[in-house]
Amino acid sequence: ASGSRKEDQLNDSSDSRGERPIRSGQRRGTIVMNAKRRQTIFPRKKEKYAHTLRNKVLKISTKALKKIGMQRKMLLKYITITYADLTQQVGRRETSNVDLTNHIYDQFTQKYGTGKYAEEKFNAIVGGCLTSMEVKRIALFGRFLELRESYDGSDLVWYLRCLHYLEKCKIGVDVKNNEYDEIHFIPFIRAQEAAKYFLERRMDHESFTSFKASIEQLKVTGVKSANSQGVVPLDDFMEAMLEQSNLVKHITSENVRDLFVSADLDGNG
């Protein structure tokens, strides 16, 4: 409580330092203590600040990351809940880009305010991902956070739409997955249907047949399931789908570029 009063006092006196005073009813910024100066973080700067925080965690040693990182089972549960929340959001409105870094930080600031506790929670997610990259489900989530070999916001939207399709599809028998499982499974025949729905029209017959064969290689045995044709790991399948989708986009853009070049007979662009 005393810390909160100090922040209010610092915000109220901001006009004496030449900053805009906070008016009645206006949302306050948070004072972040810095060795050289006090810095006010206002809501409009939150998006950039989230990326700055993430980049700071990327520079932390492995030993320190293990101290701040979220426990693996809790992280896996958080990932499952976050995907479910974002899938609903993408389903409700038309969007082409979702910044996962901003989304996570914004969640914590809404719950805890723009202060140290929200930062610690955010850092725990990033640190937990960085120390558990050997788990495919966590590694893929980390790529959406742009930690390593990153996917962008449009890739995340495409992933969420695929996820929504898989959840609503009635082909095959649902596999019981727990929120904290390292590997989630889906029916193989449902994975095939998703590949057809999202990729078949964008690929030539030979390429799509080859991609379907690669999905079949993902099938695993020994998993308790009522699906006679087997199951595949969800995140391995989704990563394969993302890679193939991006390859198709690249080939398409290259073909379009070549068409423009070939049409530019006088060389004027």
Side-chain angles (χ1 to χ4, degrees), residues 23-65:
R23 304 181 189 281
S24 175
Q26 180 180 345
R27 186 174 176 181
R28 295 186 185 279
T30 295
I31 300 301
V32 178
M33 300 308 292
N34 186 289
K36 293 182 179 178
R37 68 185 187 280
R38 294 184 181 93
Q39 181 184 1
T40 306
I41 305 299
F42 287 97
R44 66 178 177 272
K45 296 181 180 178
K46 248 193 328 187
E47 291 187 3
K48 185 176 179 181
Y49 190 60
H51 286 254
T52 301
L53 276 180
R54 180 203 60 205
N55 294 340
K56 284 181 180 178
V57 179
L58 283 168
K59 297 175 183 177
I60 295 175
S61 68
T62 303
K63 186 177 179 180
L65 284 172

Side-chain angles (χ1 to χ4, degrees), residues 20-237:
R20 182 187 297 178
I22 296 174
R23 304 181 189 281
S24 175
Q26 180 180 345
R27 186 174 176 181
R28 295 186 185 279
T30 295
I31 300 301
V32 178
M33 300 308 292
N34 186 289
K36 293 182 179 178
R37 68 185 187 280
R38 294 184 181 93
Q39 181 184 1
T40 306
I41 305 299
F42 287 97
R44 66 178 177 272
K45 296 181 180 178
K46 248 193 328 187
E47 291 187 3
K48 185 176 179 181
Y49 190 60
H51 286 254
T52 301
L53 276 180
R54 180 203 60 205
N55 294 340
K56 284 181 180 178
V57 179
L58 283 168
K59 297 175 183 177
I60 295 175
S61 68
T62 303
K63 186 177 179 180
L65 284 172
K66 288 179 179 177
K67 290 182 180 179
I68 69 168
M70 183 176 282
Q71 192 266 344
R72 184 176 291 185
K73 279 200 171 184
M74 291 297 295
L75 178 60
L76 287 162
K77 183 177 180 179
Y78 177 83
I79 288 170
T80 302
I81 292 170
T82 300
Y83 280 150
D85 177 45
L86 285 172
T87 300
Q88 287 185 358
Q89 289 186 36
V90 168
R92 284 196 301 266
R93 65 177 186 269
E94 193 65 33
T95 181
S96 60
N97 190 293
V98 172
D99 189 315
L100 186 59
T101 302
N102 289 336
H103 172 79
I104 292 173
Y105 184 64
D106 190 54
Q107 273 191 326
F108 289 135
T109 55
Q110 285 181 27
K111 189 172 183 179
Y112 304 113
T114 51
K116 187 177 179 181
Y117 196 58
E119 290 182 16
E120 287 176 354
K121 290 287 187 182
F122 176 83
N123 291 347
I125 299 296
V126 178
C129 287
L130 287 169
T131 54
S132 297
M133 285 294 200
E134 70 276 10
V135 179
K136 175 71 74 172
R137 187 164 180 78
I138 295 174
L140 188 57
F141 191 77
R143 291 183 73 175
F144 290 129
L145 276 172
E146 301 179 48
L147 303 183
R148 293 178 190 166
E149 298 177 350
S150 61
Y151 288 124
D152 62 24
S154 62
D155 290 324
L156 178 55
V157 170
W158 197 81
Y159 172 93
L160 294 168
R161 286 183 177 142
C162 288
L163 203 59
H164 184 260
Y165 177 89
L166 290 167
E167 288 171 355
K168 298 298 180 185
C169 183
K170 300 303 180 184
I171 296 173
V173 182
D174 287 337
V175 182
K176 176 65 176 174
N177 296 302
N178 292 314
E179 290 177 328
Y180 50 80
D181 286 342
E182 291 188 4
I183 304 174
H184 287 219
F185 295 98
I186 56 171
F188 168 68
I189 55 173
R190 190 176 298 179
Q192 282 190 314
E193 282 300 310
K196 281 180 65 176
Y197 183 83
F198 287 98
L199 291 174
E200 186 174 29
R201 288 171 295 177
R202 299 167 58 196
M203 300 170 66
D204 61 65
H205 178 73
E206 185 179 350
S207 298
F208 184 69
T209 301
S210 176
F211 179 66
K212 282 200 303 181
S214 70
I215 296 172
E216 189 153 6
Q217 291 176 4
L218 295 175
K219 282 203 293 187
V220 295
T221 56
V223 177
K224 225 175 179 182
S225 167
N227 292 281
S228 59
Q229 293 190 46
V231 297
V232 296
L234 170 64
D235 294 288
D236 288 280
F237 168 70

